[in-house]
Amino acid sequence: MKDLKQKLLQKQPMADLPFVILVVTLVLFGLVMLFSASYAVGNYRFHDPYTYIRPQAVFAVVGLFAMWIASRVDYHIYHQLALPLLGISIVLLVIVLFMPKYNGCRRWIVTPFGTLQPSEIAKFAVVLVFAHIISLNHSKMAEFRYGVLPFLLILVPIVGLMLLEPHLSGTVLILGIGGILMFVGGTALKWFGMAAGGAAATVGCAVVLLPDLVPYAMDRLQSWIDPFADPLGDGHQTIQSLYAIGSGGATGLGLGNSRQKHLYVPEPQNDFIFSIICEELGFIGAMLLIILFVALLLRGMMIAINAKDKFGSLLVVGFVVQVVMQAVLNIAVVTNTIPNTGISLPFFSSGGTSLMMLLGEMGVVLSVSRQAGQTRY
C-alpha cells in the first residue's frame, strides 16, 4: 500500500490539459442540467427536489478523484486486468437476469449501496480485452483466426445476455465499439461484409428463440414511425420530447424554466434529458453540448495518434468513441431520428454507475496522454 501511494504521488508528466478541461466542463454542465431537469420530478415523486442531483454530485466528486488516480496508473496494467474484468462482467450480466423488472427490463442489480448496471462494466471490459488482443496480434489481424474469431467468442455471450435483459441500445453500442476497434486494429474488410450477413441471421434466430423480444422491438419500431398513433402509450415519450425541443427555439426558455419536465416528459432526468436542455437553452445550448462532445472526440484522437504504443492508442479510441457514439445515439433517440432504445446521455443522465465508469475511462485516456512520445512496443 505504501509503494502504491508513493507511485501515485510521485512526479509524472502532465496529463493532456485540454482533455481534462473538456471532461470537467461536461461533468459540471451535466450536473447543472441534471438538477434543472430533475428537481420537479424529484419533488413530485419523493417530495425532495434533490433526490437525483444529491447522489449524482457525490458520484461526480468520487468519479473525478477516481479519474485522477486512473490517470496516474500505468495503463499497461490493464493487459493483466482485461480478461478477469471480462469474466466479472459476464457473471454480472447473468446475475442481472434474476433481478426484478423495471419498465419491462432487467438491467440493474440492486445492492444495499444502490443499483449497479452490469452493461456499463461490460463496455469497459470489451474495450480493454479488444485492445489487449489486437495489440498482441496486430500483425496478423487480417487472418480470421486472429482478426475475427477471438472477438466473436467475446461478443456472442455478452450480446446474448444483453438481449435477454433486453437491452437493445447497450447491445448496439457494444457491437459498434467492438467493430470500430477491429477496423482500427486491422481486421480485413471482407470479414465485416460477412458479419453483416451474420447479423441478419442473428436477428432471424432472435425472432425464433426470443419471442418476447419481438413484440418489444416491434412496439418501439411502430412508435418511431408514427408516435401520434398512440399518443398516450408508446408514442407519449417521443411526442413530449419533440414538444420540448420545439418549445426551446433558438435561445430557449431559460435555465430552470422547462414546462415539459413537470411530469410531461417521462424520466426527464435520464434518457430524455437532452430534450429539456433544448427547451431551456434552445438551439444554441444544444449546439454547445454537441460541440463539447465533438471536441472530446477530436482531442481524444490526437491523444491516440500520439500514444506511445498500439495498446494505448486502442484504449483511447475505444473509450472516446464509446462516449461520443452513446451521445449520438441518445440525441438521435430524443429527436426521433431512430427508434427509442432507452440510452442515456453521457455525463448528463442520472446514473452513478455510468458516471463512475465514464470518469474511470477518461482517467485511462489521461494515463495514455501522460506517456505520449515515449516509444514502447
Side-chain angles (χ1 to χ4, degrees):
M1 182 64 70
K2 185 177 180 181
D3 291 341
L4 176 60
K5 183 178 179 180
Q6 289 177 342
K7 288 181 179 179
L8 290 176
L9 296 178
Q10 71 183 9
K11 186 175 178 60
Q12 293 187 8
M14 282 286 293
D16 189 84
L17 185 58
F19 194 84
V20 173
I21 292 173
L22 284 168
V23 172
V24 173
T25 301
L26 282 165
V27 171
L28 295 178
F29 191 7
L31 289 175
V32 170
M33 293 313 307
L34 176 62
F35 179 53
S36 180
S38 68
Y39 74 80
V41 69
N43 201 36
Y44 287 130
R45 291 180 180 176
F46 307 103
H47 306 290
D48 180 5
Y50 305 103
T51 298
Y52 296 100
I53 189 60
R54 187 186 298 113
Q56 192 81 352
V58 172
F59 279 116
V61 172
V62 175
L64 287 170
F65 180 67
M67 181 178 78
W68 176 79
I69 292 178
S71 76
R72 300 184 68 84
V73 173
D74 186 346
Y75 64 87
H76 294 94
I77 194 175
Y78 297 111
H79 274 300
Q80 287 75 46
L81 298 179
L83 291 175
L85 187 59
L86 177 67
I88 291 172
S89 66
I90 291 175
V91 170
L92 292 175
L93 287 172
V94 172
I95 293 174
V96 78
L97 298 179
F98 298 93
M99 293 291 108
K101 283 189 175 183
Y102 178 75
N103 286 341
C105 303
R106 293 185 174 92
R107 299 182 185 176
W108 297 270
I109 295 175
V110 181
T111 73
F113 309 101
T115 58
L116 176 69
Q117 193 168 5
S119 61
E120 297 297 332
I121 299 174
K123 295 173 194 173
F124 186 80
V126 165
V127 173
L128 294 189
V129 174
F130 274 46
H132 169 69
I133 294 173
I134 294 171
S135 64
L136 295 179
N137 302 311
H138 62 89
S139 62
K140 299 175 282 188
M141 285 291 291
E143 302 175 33
F144 179 83
R145 177 182 175 184
Y146 298 101
V148 179
L149 183 59
F151 308 111
L152 281 179
L153 295 177
I154 294 166
L155 288 176
V156 167
I158 290 177
V159 167
L161 289 169
M162 291 182 68
L163 286 174
L164 289 173
E165 296 184 17
H167 194 352
L168 296 179
S169 58
T171 302
V172 170
L173 190 58
I174 282 183
L175 288 174
I177 296 167
I180 287 173
L181 285 174
M182 290 169 66
F183 176 76
V184 173
T187 298
L189 291 177
K190 65 180 180 180
W191 302 122
F192 288 101
M194 294 182 181
T202 301
V203 171
C205 291
V207 171
V208 176
L209 300 176
L210 302 173
D212 290 341
L213 185 64
V214 177
Y216 169 82
M218 290 305 296
D219 288 345
R220 292 292 177 90
L221 185 61
Q222 183 58 43
S223 65
W224 169 59
I225 294 172
D226 184 10
F228 290 91
D230 188 10
L232 299 180
D234 291 330
H236 176 72
Q237 194 169 36
T238 298
I239 293 170
Q240 297 304 320
S241 172
L242 294 176
Y243 284 158
I245 294 171
S247 299
T251 58
L253 303 180
L255 184 64
N257 293 331
S258 165
R259 296 184 289 261
Q260 293 300 111
K261 67 186 176 188
H262 291 274
L263 301 186
Y264 291 101
V265 173
E267 306 298 329
Q269 78 285 356
N270 207 327
D271 297 350
F272 279 71
I273 192 171
F274 181 72
S275 66
I276 306 302
I277 295 171
C278 291
E279 186 180 11
E280 294 191 346
L281 305 184
F283 178 77
I284 294 174
M287 286 306 301
L288 173 62
L289 179 148
I290 293 170
I291 288 170
L292 286 172
F293 280 114
V294 171
L296 189 79
L297 174 64
L298 294 177
R299 195 64 197 178
M301 292 306 101
M302 288 299 297
I303 295 172
I305 290 169
N306 293 310
K308 72 178 185 180
D309 54 27
K310 188 170 286 291
F311 182 59
S313 180
L314 290 167
L315 286 177
V316 174
V317 170
F319 290 138
V320 173
V321 165
Q322 173 197 318
V323 172
V324 176
M325 184 183 297
Q326 186 168 332
V328 169
L329 289 174
N330 174 270
I331 293 171
V333 166
V334 172
T335 56
N336 203 37
T337 306
I338 63 174
N340 186 353
T341 57
I343 189 167
S344 60
L345 183 62
F347 300 112
F348 287 80
S349 295
S350 174
T353 307
S354 175
L355 185 58
M356 287 285 289
M357 294 304 299
L358 281 171
L359 290 173
E361 292 166 1
M362 298 303 98
V364 176
V365 173
L366 292 172
S367 175
V368 175
S369 76
R370 287 186 189 275
Q371 301 183 43
Q374 306 171 41
T375 304
R376 174 175 172 177
Y377 296 98

